[in-house]
Amino acid sequence: MCDVSNLSIGNFAPPSQFYQIQTSSYITAMDISSSAQSLVFGDGASFVYQYADREDFGVNPYSLPLSTADIVAPAATPQIIKEDTPLSTIGMPYYTDPLLSVWPNNKIFEVGAQPLPIDEEIMKNIKTIDFVGYAPNPGNMHRNQVPRKKKLAQKKNVPKFRSEQERELLLSNSVIIGDEPPARRSSSVGDLRTKDPSVMIMPRYYQHVEIQYSKFGVDDFDFGYYNATSFGGLETHIRNSYCNSFLQVLYFILPLRKIAKSHIKTTCAKENCLLCELGFLFHMLEDSKGQNCQATNFLRAFSTIPQAAALGLFEPDTPNRSLSYSALMQNFTRFIMEQIHQEANTPGANPLILKTLDQNPTDKALAETPLDIPSSMQQLFGLQTQSQSKCVDLLYPKKAWCNHCNQYQPTTTKKIICGLPGVMLINSGASNSEEALIWRQNGPNSPKSSSQTQQQMDDDSIAALITSSSWLPERFGIHINGSELIIKALPTGKEVPPEFTGSPETCAIYELSSTILQVKADEELPHLVSQIKIPESDLEADAKTPWYLFNDFLVHKIRPEEVFSFKGSWKTPSVLQYTRVDLDSLLDLEALPSEVDHSLLFQDMSIADVTNTTPRYEVLSPDEMPHPGTLVAIDAEFVALQQEETEIRSDGTKSLIRPSTLTLARVSVLRGDGPKEGVPFIDDYIATSEPIVDYLTEFSGIKAGDLDPAQSPYTLLPLKMVYKKLRLLVDLGCIFIGHGLNKDFRIINLIIPPEQIVDTVDIYHIRNRQRKISLRFLAWHLLHQDIQSETHDSIEDAKTALLLYKKYLDYKQNGTFGQVLEEVYKAGHKSNWLKGPKEPLSRVSSTPQMEKLTHGPLFTTGWSVQ
């Protein structure tokens, strides 16, 4: 019995019959006859309504309640408890007073750890005077201090910091100098053979992953724990990083990757060009070889577009559980594809890459004027349509110009699809789990077989069962039949119908290439992941499955059934990507620009209003074109866009929540060899429109106004132009020399092949020592130079690193480098790594006395320096 007016039935519920009581009041009573053949209702208006399931029903008007026998309580038997007696058979006592388990939370306090027992040596020698005990300090512990015990409890599935791993390796004595470092650990976040065909339970590698910070910042986080593949992941500590999943989808669209990389080879005057940033990002992902990457520059350029802010495409600063990332991603997809199309469009100069593009229209009026070639993005993702107008006789017509009648006539206009796209991006239209209900109600169910039979099914059988019955088609065909469009799902492994095997202009077969999902666990914030089918050219030779999950910096192999099953309520589809199976044969990517424009390296330009009258650099000449193996010295300075976030624990220790956000402010590149060795050819300051919270003048040498085009007296350029210069040097095969380059290149957002980096911080470092020597100490000790006395200068630091590398080559040639390095560490320990007087090592002072240095012959380390 229910209220029919408030009853909601699902679309797929079985048909039911309802009998409604025609009453103007409310129901007050209900009774069933003892014969169970009649049902009676009474309402508030004193009406009685009787229902029966037959015409001749029986009613006993003299029925009486049934009389039942008294229940005799069983005799109490003594309970015999044995060793095998279940614990549940033992009764619990009754309590009249509240138990401690109901003690209120506001009355519970932590009392700390118990005090350590007093040392036995102290107890033996203690002497008591009055009520106070005195004993000599045995010296086996700190005075008035207790060693702090580290908490043993750690978060599950979270790796140790790299510094902790190195410390454990050093303490274990298992690493010998010259051995190879341990291989990257395989991610332990899932099992590929888990038998959950419908994927009702969310695998734990879909959970939201976060970067943990130690006192060394993000560089100390072990990203390799989450990615054991050769594909790079994207980091999450950047605003609007929800775009990572779509950026990964775009990267594995191979024609788009070539279009973006071709675009950065040309001259692009737009400062915040998203297509340029995509090309730089794709280049970095190609070079990563499984190393984590950042989309910092792309997201920074995206955040400068006012239309994106007006459309609400920016992620809120504070997490919001009610935010639908699925809807946000669908809006972002529409916006970004239109934006990239506009940036790739150069009217009159677009390359023709689509072989089936109709350049010979049948309409004579259109054939008289040559058609502009659409942008490369439109040729890859766009539909080819044709408008048809027809004169009609209407009472209230819409007049338009008729080319046949040469006058305004009542017309009707419609668009006809005459060409199919190479790549389809389809928005699911679902913004939350409730709207995705239709995805879960349709599609594959769990195999209806016994448990033994299910255990005998292999992975291929389960995958075939899932994909064959999936509501989301793995493959479908489209056929243009005149003005009609025929779309049909094509099961994999079956013969393709003949209507989909015709001309590529009118027939196309599409296969699912990737999906973007919104994932939400029970107690977590929603986030986005992408499931991508890796193209064969990028796939590893021994890969068992082409499907991979990209959960920000976590990359993991997945089963096909995880892609095609939507039975679990933990995921909501957002964007689907389908690709034509014959796309490679339809495209001519050789028409894209392939010649790299190196003229940027030979130009001296600046956007500052004030001309730099005393430049400290000399621009490269065309005769000095770098080639593979060219040595260049580099150093960079940075400013802070956001201060670090820390918290102070109750024990007084400081915990880093989020490191400071830095951006490139100055970069200097010097010639490393040749007649102009040590002469800078790049010394650019980078203009930024973002607010700077700290210029870090003590460490960067940057002052307020140096990055302002209206005030800066230096050479000032946009970030994209400086980044492109460095990108050109990397692609030309230059070898970069510097001190601490890994951190510099990370902030610049460049991945350099290891064979193109010479880092003096690694050269002058003994592997089993934790201390890495600063550039200032090495310059003072080996080069007899006092640098960074007041502030940092990137030209000075780069030149110092170059001289240290030349010194290293000399020491290596003489066979004295090992002795030199040991003496440097000895001098550093004796002077507490501070600059001391240049005297023999046995007399090195522990206090800085640089003001006493003279210009005469200074101290040597006991070996001959030629």
Side-chain angles (χ1 to χ4, degrees):
M1 185 174 66
C2 63
D3 186 357
V4 179
S5 62
N6 293 329
L7 182 63
S8 59
I9 310 174
N11 295 333
F12 302 94
S16 303
Q17 293 181 354
F18 293 90
Y19 299 93
Q20 185 173 358
I21 299 176
Q22 303 298 331
T23 177
S24 59
S25 180
Y26 53 90
I27 302 300
T28 60
M30 184 197 75
D31 197 5
I32 303 175
S33 66
S34 59
S35 62
Q37 297 178 5
S38 179
L39 183 65
V40 177
F41 294 91
D43 64 2
S46 301
F47 285 94
V48 177
Y49 304 91
Q50 185 176 13
Y51 294 86
D53 60 348
R54 64 197 69 184
E55 293 183 359
D56 298 329
F57 58 90
V59 177
N60 183 7
Y62 307 106
S63 61
L64 296 175
L66 295 177
S67 299
T68 58
D70 296 334
I71 300 176
V72 180
T77 56
Q79 186 177 16
I80 301 175
I81 300 177
K82 302 179 181 179
E83 293 184 356
D84 56 348
T85 301
L87 187 61
S88 59
T89 60
I90 302 175
M92 296 291 292
Y94 293 95
Y95 298 95
T96 58
D97 297 331
L99 301 179
L100 286 178
S101 58
V102 297
W103 195 271
N105 293 332
N106 59 351
K107 299 296 183 181
I108 300 176
F109 306 95
E110 291 188 6
V111 296
Q114 294 182 355
L116 296 177
I118 301 177
D119 194 293
E120 294 182 359
E121 192 70 20
I122 296 177
M123 298 301 296
K124 290 179 181 178
N125 301 323
I126 194 171
K127 294 182 179 180
T128 304
I129 300 177
D130 294 333
F131 59 89
V132 180
Y134 298 88
N137 187 355
N140 54 7
M141 63 184 302
H142 299 285
R143 179 185 293 272
N144 299 329
Q145 293 183 8
V146 176
R148 177 186 175 189
K149 291 186 177 180
K150 295 184 178 180
K151 295 181 179 180
L152 299 178
Q154 294 183 352
K155 294 182 179 180
K156 296 181 179 180
N157 302 324
V158 174
K160 295 182 179 179
F161 291 113
R162 295 171 60 184
S163 58
E164 296 177 348
Q165 299 175 26
E166 293 176 0
R167 192 179 304 114
E168 292 178 357
L169 288 175
L170 293 175
L171 295 176
S172 64
N173 297 324
S174 61
V175 178
I176 304 174
I177 296 178
D179 288 354
E180 292 295 327
R184 174 180 293 178
R185 292 170 295 163
S186 175
S187 174
S188 59
V189 288
D191 182 8
L192 194 61
R193 293 184 173 272
T194 303
K195 294 296 183 286
D196 181 15
S198 298
V199 200
M200 298 290 292
I201 303 174
M202 183 181 73
R204 63 174 179 265
Y205 43 80
Y206 282 86
Q207 295 176 355
H208 182 56
V209 290
E210 292 183 356
I211 300 176
Q212 305 294 326
Y213 302 101
S214 70
K215 62 181 180 180
F216 301 108
V218 69
D219 296 331
D220 202 25
F221 187 72
D222 184 11
F223 289 98
Y225 177 87
Y226 295 94
N227 185 5
T229 69
S230 60
F231 309 112
L234 295 175
E235 298 178 12
T236 59
H237 63 288
I238 313 163
R239 190 188 178 193
N240 297 320
S241 59
Y242 78 91
C243 306
N244 288 347
S245 56
F246 188 67
L247 295 178
Q248 291 282 15
V249 169
L250 295 181
Y251 170 71
F252 286 102
I253 302 177
L254 298 185
L256 175 59
R257 189 192 307 179
K258 294 182 180 179
I259 291 173
K261 290 176 60 179
S262 173
H263 181 74
I264 62 176
K265 296 178 181 179
T266 61
T267 302
C268 179
K270 187 175 180 181
E271 180 178 350
N272 295 308
C273 177
L274 296 185
L275 187 56
C276 284
E277 299 300 343
L278 270 183
F280 294 138
L281 177 62
F282 291 168
H283 207 313
M284 184 165 53
L285 287 171
E286 277 187 335
D287 297 339
S288 65
K289 307 301 181 185
Q291 185 179 349
N292 58 292
C293 302
Q294 306 173 71
T296 309
N297 294 350
F298 176 88
L299 297 178
R300 187 170 296 165
F302 169 65
S303 63
T304 62
I305 302 177
Q307 293 87 344
L311 293 172
L313 298 181
F314 294 160
E315 192 175 12
D317 294 331
T318 57
N320 187 359
R321 292 184 180 273
S322 62
L323 176 64
S324 173
Y325 280 92
S326 177
L328 186 63
M329 173 55 65
Q330 294 175 48
N331 296 332
F332 172 77
T333 302
R334 285 192 294 266
F335 172 80
I336 209 70
M337 298 306 294
E338 176 64 25
Q339 187 74 18
I340 296 175
H341 155 63
Q342 295 177 2
E343 294 171 349
N345 188 24
T346 54
N350 289 322
L352 180 61
I353 63 174
L354 184 60
K355 300 177 182 178
T356 60
L357 185 63
D358 188 6
Q359 288 293 302
N360 299 310
T362 57
D363 194 334
K364 296 181 179 180
L366 296 176
E368 294 176 356
T369 58
L371 295 179
D372 289 335
I373 300 176
S375 71
S376 53
M377 291 292 298
Q378 191 171 357
Q379 296 180 56
L380 181 61
F381 292 92
L383 277 171
Q384 298 181 37
T385 60
Q386 185 177 2
S387 299
Q388 285 188 354
S389 300
K390 182 180 179 181
C391 298
V392 295
D393 186 12
L394 298 176
L395 183 61
Y396 298 102
K398 178 182 177 182
K399 289 189 176 183
W401 181 261
C402 180
N403 292 324
H404 298 283
C405 304
N406 291 326
Q407 60 181 346
Y408 285 96
Q409 290 286 349
T411 58
T412 59
T413 304
K414 67 176 180 179
K415 286 188 175 181
I416 298 177
I417 297 177
C418 55
L420 299 172
V423 179
M424 278 190 183
L425 292 172
I426 305 174
N427 287 342
S428 69
S431 59
N432 51 53
S433 180
E434 288 75 15
E435 294 181 2
L437 181 63
I438 190 173
W439 293 69
R440 294 195 294 273
Q441 291 174 338
N442 295 275
N445 294 309
S446 300
K448 297 180 180 180
S449 57
S450 62
S451 58
Q452 181 179 2
T453 306
Q454 187 171 343
Q455 292 177 358
Q456 295 175 356
M457 297 177 66
D458 57 3
D459 290 341
D460 295 336
S461 302
I462 295 179
L465 177 63
I466 292 295
T467 55
S468 61
S469 60
S470 174
W471 187 64
L472 176 66
E474 181 180 7
R475 189 175 64 160
F476 67 87
I478 299 180
H479 171 53
I480 302 176
N481 186 14
S483 60
E484 296 182 354
L485 207 62
I486 301 174
I487 305 176
K488 183 178 180 181
L490 304 177
T492 306
K494 294 186 178 180
E495 186 178 356
V496 178
E499 61 265 25
F500 299 106
T501 59
S503 171
E505 287 83 0
T506 58
C507 298
I509 298 176
Y510 292 87
E511 283 189 353
L512 184 66
S513 300
S514 61
T515 65
I516 298 178
L517 310 173
Q518 174 181 289
V519 175
K520 187 179 185 306
D522 294 335
E523 300 179 357
E524 290 186 356
L525 292 170
H527 64 284
L528 294 169
V529 301
S530 55
Q531 300 168 321
I532 300 176
K533 186 177 183 180
I534 306 299
E536 293 184 3
S537 58
D538 292 348
L539 198 61
E540 299 172 349
D542 56 345
K544 297 181 180 179
T545 171
W547 287 98
Y548 281 74
L549 170 74
F550 289 84
N551 184 4
D552 292 324
F553 53 82
L554 186 153
V555 184
H556 195 273
K557 297 179 182 179
I558 58 175
R559 301 166 291 155
E561 50 264 39
E562 296 180 26
V563 180
F564 295 97
S565 175
F566 290 88
K567 290 297 182 180
S569 60
W570 52 271
K571 67 177 181 177
T572 302
S574 177
V575 180
L576 310 174
Q577 183 229 331
Y578 283 88
T579 306
R580 288 187 66 154
V581 295
D582 57 348
L583 181 60
D584 293 339
S585 61
L586 300 178
L587 297 179
D588 181 18
L589 298 178
E590 299 296 330
L592 294 171
S594 58
E595 185 176 352
V596 182
D597 183 11
H598 296 98
S599 61
L600 190 62
L601 295 174
F602 313 124
Q603 298 176 8
D604 187 6
M605 59 182 68
S606 176
I607 63 173
D609 297 340
V610 181
T611 305
N612 187 0
T613 57
T614 57
R616 300 173 59 188
Y617 61 92
E618 182 180 341
V619 179
L620 288 175
S621 63
D623 298 335
E624 296 178 290
M625 170 68 78
H627 54 81
T630 299
L631 297 180
V632 295
I634 186 173
D635 190 69
E637 309 295 350
F638 308 93
V639 293
L641 300 178
Q642 184 178 356
Q643 297 284 13
E644 68 178 14
E645 299 178 18
T646 58
E647 66 176 3
I648 307 298
R649 298 193 183 99
S650 58
D651 58 356
T653 59
K654 185 170 69 173
S655 173
L656 181 64
I657 299 177
R658 186 179 297 274
S660 59
T661 303
L662 303 179
T663 186
L664 183 64
R666 181 189 179 189
V667 62
S668 301
V669 185
L670 285 62
R671 298 168 175 86
D673 48 16
K676 296 182 180 180
E677 178 181 326
V679 178
F681 62 91
I682 294 177
D683 185 28
D684 294 335
Y685 288 71
I686 290 83
T688 177
S689 59
E690 299 178 86
I692 299 174
V693 299
D694 192 351
Y695 284 91
L696 305 173
T697 305
E698 181 183 357
F699 307 102
S700 66
I702 307 296
K703 301 177 182 178
D706 290 351
L707 308 182
D708 186 358
Q711 304 179 29
S712 177
Y714 305 107
T715 301
L716 198 64
L717 290 175
L719 175 62
K720 190 187 83 169
M721 193 170 295
V722 177
Y723 186 93
K724 191 170 184 179
K725 286 184 181 181
L726 299 178
R727 182 77 261 175
L728 290 173
L729 294 177
V730 176
D731 295 340
L732 287 171
C734 293
I735 297 178
F736 294 88
I737 302 171
H739 194 82
L741 291 182
N742 287 335
K743 184 176 181 180
D744 289 355
F745 285 136
R746 174 183 174 81
I747 302 176
I748 297 173
N749 207 12
L750 266 177
I751 288 185
I752 314 294
E755 60 271 13
Q756 290 182 237
I757 293 180
V758 176
D759 199 336
T760 52
V761 77
D762 295 326
I763 291 177
Y764 292 92
H765 175 246
I766 300 178
R767 185 174 177 182
N768 60 351
R769 310 282 180 90
Q770 288 189 354
R771 164 73 67 171
K772 291 190 176 181
I773 309 174
S774 66
L775 181 67
R776 186 181 185 186
F777 187 85
L778 289 173
W780 171 79
H781 190 83
L782 298 178
L783 304 178
H784 318 307
Q785 294 181 4
D786 183 15
I787 65 171
Q788 304 174 355
S789 56
E790 296 181 357
T791 184
H792 286 231
D793 187 327
S794 56
I795 291 181
E796 181 184 50
D797 293 350
K799 190 170 184 178
T800 303
L802 179 61
L803 294 176
L804 287 172
Y805 175 65
K806 300 292 184 179
K807 275 282 186 182
Y808 159 75
L809 295 179
D810 293 340
Y811 293 143
K812 203 73 173 177
Q813 184 177 3
N814 298 334
T816 59
F817 177 69
Q819 180 184 358
V820 170
L821 194 53
E822 287 289 349
E823 294 293 341
V824 170
Y825 270 88
K826 289 181 181 178
H829 285 299
K830 289 186 178 181
S831 64
N832 198 23
W833 301 103
L834 299 174
K835 297 182 300 181
K838 292 288 186 174
E839 297 177 358
L841 289 180
S842 58
R843 298 175 57 189
V844 172
S845 173
S846 61
T847 58
Q849 302 179 12
M850 285 302 300
E851 64 275 4
K852 297 183 181 180
L853 290 176
T854 63
H855 296 285
L858 301 179
F859 124 103
T860 61
T861 53
W863 58 83
S864 59
V865 181
Q866 300 178 355

